Amino acid sequence: MSKIINEVRMYCETILSNSICSNYQFHDLQHTLEVYKNVLLLAESESIIAEEKEILAISALFQDTGYSRIYKGHEEISMDIAEEFLVQRNYNNDYLPSVLKCISATRMPQQPESILEKIICDADFAHLSAANYFQNISLLRKEWSYFLGMNFTDEEWKTLNIDFLSTHKYHTNFGISVLEKCKLNNLLLLEQSLVSRK
């Protein structure tokens, strides 16, 4: 791990552990560390060079820090936090715009353009294909209820997630060839659980 990645990781872990983020059930430090791990995995599979891996790692660590100040529209704040920190540390001016673009690309609806933006978008939604997918969406449901006042019946929640999984698209080769299959399996399980309740 490079010196700047190490500094960023410690700084972001502090923000996510000592702000309102520590109360989030889903968008917490663990989620950020999973996205960080996922960008490195995807970067490896896409044969990304070391300098670009650093951009991805830094972007992944900063991308949800904006939740420390605001829930909706947090990406803009995440970009501000990243830029302020990186400028103070004289981070490479050639790389800084790419970091900010990667963070911006995670906004919904995702419309990534560069390969780095596609990687961070897929890393951010790799949980859709995870074995613990149902645990993750249960945590997100609690988070939305508590912080956004959005409450759903079990049927409404399953329908919402079926719609999301059905329309979501991965962007990288790894996402399309590997993550998509696991995501479709979770979609099938969701659809079956909705049918079984009717």
Side-chain angles (χ1 to χ4, degrees):
M1 187 187 300
S2 71
K3 182 173 181 282
I4 187 66
I5 293 175
N6 204 31
E7 288 178 358
V8 166
R9 181 166 176 162
M10 288 195 302
Y11 181 67
C12 292
E13 284 184 1
T14 299
I15 291 174
L16 295 166
S17 301
N18 297 299
S19 66
I20 194 169
C21 296
S22 64
N23 297 320
Y24 291 153
Q25 289 92 340
F26 179 76
H27 290 104
D28 57 3
L29 174 60
Q30 183 183 337
H31 173 67
T32 288
L33 294 178
E34 283 176 8
V35 175
Y36 168 72
K37 181 185 75 178
N38 290 335
V39 292
L40 296 178
L41 172 72
L42 283 157
E44 202 64 43
S45 73
E46 300 287 333
S47 303
I48 298 300
I49 60 171
E51 290 84 358
E52 292 181 327
K53 280 183 189 171
E54 182 177 276
I55 290 168
L56 283 167
I58 291 169
S59 305
L61 291 165
F62 272 116
Q63 58 129 6
D64 279 347
T65 53
Y67 276 116
S68 63
R69 299 184 199 164
I70 191 170
Y71 199 96
K72 288 190 172 179
H74 71 277
E75 297 90 353
E76 199 69 41
I77 305 297
S78 298
M79 291 162 68
D80 290 344
I81 293 170
E83 185 168 23
E84 184 182 353
F85 181 87
L86 294 169
V87 166
Q88 283 177 355
R89 275 155 185 77
N90 298 312
Y91 182 64
N92 191 319
N93 282 333
D94 294 335
Y95 297 164
L96 182 55
S98 294
V99 169
L100 301 181
K101 281 181 182 173
C102 281
I103 296 171
S104 180
T106 62
R107 282 182 235 254
M108 295 300 294
Q110 293 181 338
Q111 294 175 314
E113 294 174 358
S114 72
I115 183 60
L116 299 189
E117 291 168 26
K118 290 176 181 179
I119 286 172
I120 196 168
C121 284
D122 282 6
D124 197 23
F125 278 104
H127 67 274
L128 302 181
S129 66
N132 65 345
Y133 166 73
F134 287 91
Q135 181 187 341
N136 280 324
I137 60 169
S138 173
L139 294 173
L140 185 63
R141 183 181 183 180
K142 288 176 185 170
E143 186 174 292
W144 282 6
S145 174
Y146 188 81
F147 291 98
L148 299 178
M150 295 172 70
N151 296 294
F152 304 88
T153 64
D154 288 350
E155 189 171 318
E156 286 170 341
W157 182 245
K158 286 177 182 176
T159 301
L160 179 77
N161 283 283
I162 286 169
D163 289 345
F164 185 72
L165 287 185
S166 300
T167 55
H168 170 268
K169 297 273 189 294
Y170 284 115
H171 307 279
T172 61
N173 293 327
F174 184 86
I176 293 164
S177 62
V178 178
L179 300 180
E180 184 70 16
K181 289 175 189 171
C182 300
K183 183 189 79 176
L184 291 176
N185 188 51
N186 285 332
L187 173 58
L188 183 62
L189 292 171
L190 250 186
E191 289 171 337
Q192 288 171 344
S193 71
L194 185 62
V195 170
S196 67
R197 284 185 61 88
K198 290 185 175 178

